[in-house]
Amino acid sequence: MKFHLLGQFTIETAEGKLSFLPKSKITQILGVLLVQNGETVRVDTLIEELWGEDVPRSALTTLQTYVYHARRMFAKMPEGKGLLLTRPSGYAVDVADDAIDIKVFERLVGQARRQLHAGQPEAAIESVDRAVALWRGPVLAGMPLGRVLDAHVTYLDEFRFSATELWVAASRRLGRDREVVPRLRLLVAENPLNESLHAQLIRSLHRCGRRAEALEAYRNLWRILDRELGVEPAPELQLLQHELLATGSGHAPPRMAL
């Protein structure tokens, strides 16, 4: 049995049959238990996820009812019996990490990071590609999210971003700047205040022989920072701009007017 949370929540049986779980508090409970696979999730944590600060008097009884229905749902699946465990302080799901796409994603990104540090950029790119391919949409797409799940979704979105940064770093190490530019443009559009991404885009454009576009990318960053924060780019980025302007001129130019 496999659990897909990177997109709409689905369960895949050993026979390959997919069950799309409805948007419900039962599904919410399973989501919390799966992202913390193997760990005991306390009853009060689940109650906070389901009701936030508006906790009904019957919360504990209602939670137990939801768990009962979740067990009944699992019981209808060949491998589902006994997956949902009751423990002294709460509940747990204990399955192999390879059965949960989130855990596979985390493992592949960690593997890519180690491969890049070991001087294996090709292998790192392959690992990142496999990791990102697991995403079929937003985490737990369309599901109600309480504080607990929302925190995990934010973490996974950040982790996906770091995976893309790894892909860019590995590709640039191989001199594949032309392949990197489109990905960097997308990342910059999604993270307009991230100066590191802008710097990478500017450098990659320059290495591709597209100096005019690199200078325009710098102007774009300057406009964004001025409009949103009222500040100029970091000193290292201003130095990068000077280096671009100095290329082929034989002298250091004055600061570019923007």
Side-chain angles (χ1 to χ4, degrees):
M1 182 179 290
K2 294 182 179 180
F3 301 88
H4 304 290
L5 290 83
L6 298 175
Q8 185 176 353
F9 192 175
T10 59
I11 296 177
E12 180 180 353
T13 65
E15 293 78 22
K17 182 180 178 181
L18 292 176
S19 297
F20 292 85
L21 300 191
K23 303 167 188 175
S24 68
K25 291 194 181 295
I26 296 173
T27 313
Q28 227 175 319
I29 291 169
L30 293 177
V32 174
L33 297 178
L34 285 165
V35 297
Q36 300 183 63
N37 181 44
E39 300 177 18
T40 300
V41 179
R42 294 177 57 86
V43 166
D44 54 359
T45 300
L46 291 170
I47 287 174
E48 181 179 356
E49 168 64 26
L50 296 178
W51 292 288
E53 296 180 359
D54 190 21
V55 180
R57 291 183 179 180
S58 61
L60 180 58
T61 302
T62 305
L63 172 63
Q64 292 169 339
T65 301
Y66 290 149
V67 171
Y68 167 75
H69 286 295
R71 281 203 175 96
R72 287 192 63 189
M73 180 189 70
F74 277 142
K76 296 175 182 177
M77 303 175 185
E79 313 92 339
K81 189 175 181 180
L83 286 183
L84 208 168
L85 308 174
T86 299
R87 290 182 174 166
S89 58
Y91 300 95
V93 167
D94 195 2
V95 298
D97 278 348
D98 283 349
I100 305 171
D101 59 358
I102 286 175
K103 300 300 181 182
V104 176
F105 171 75
E106 292 174 327
R107 175 177 58 77
L108 286 170
V109 174
Q111 177 176 291
R113 185 173 288 109
R114 291 190 296 274
Q115 289 166 333
L116 184 60
H117 289 166
Q120 303 170 347
E122 287 274 13
I125 289 171
E126 181 182 345
S127 295
V128 171
D129 285 341
R130 288 170 58 200
V132 173
L134 294 170
W135 287 65
R136 299 165 295 108
V139 183
L140 296 168
M143 226 177 80
L145 302 176
R147 183 193 63 82
V148 180
L149 279 179
D150 189 59
H152 281 283
V153 169
T154 299
Y155 157 74
L156 287 165
D157 285 339
E158 289 286 343
F159 211 67
R160 187 184 189 186
F161 177 76
S162 71
T164 306
E165 285 190 310
L166 277 171
W167 185 93
V168 168
S171 297
R172 291 191 68 210
R173 189 173 295 185
L174 292 168
R176 298 176 182 174
D177 290 277
R178 293 186 186 280
E179 297 177 29
V180 164
V181 166
R183 187 78 64 98
L184 280 172
R185 286 196 189 278
L186 179 60
L187 286 172
V188 163
E190 293 175 344
N191 306 272
L193 299 179
N194 189 314
E195 292 184 70
S196 174
L197 289 176
H198 284 273
Q200 291 184 64
L201 174 60
I202 292 166
R203 289 191 178 96
S204 289
L205 285 167
H206 183 51
R207 285 171 64 173
C208 292
R210 297 156 67 176
R211 187 172 68 136
E213 290 180 63
L215 287 168
E216 179 56 33
Y218 178 86
R219 292 189 189 97
N220 181 55
L221 169 63
W222 191 94
R223 286 189 289 265
I224 290 171
L225 293 178
D226 183 56
R227 181 180 66 247
E228 299 295 331
L229 303 175
V231 300
E232 295 185 346
E236 54 268 29
L237 273 158
Q238 294 186 35
L239 178 60
L240 176 58
Q241 175 225 16
H242 279 247
E243 291 171 356
L244 288 171
L245 286 170
T247 301
S249 69
H251 61 84
R255 183 170 178 270
M256 179 170 60
L258 294 169

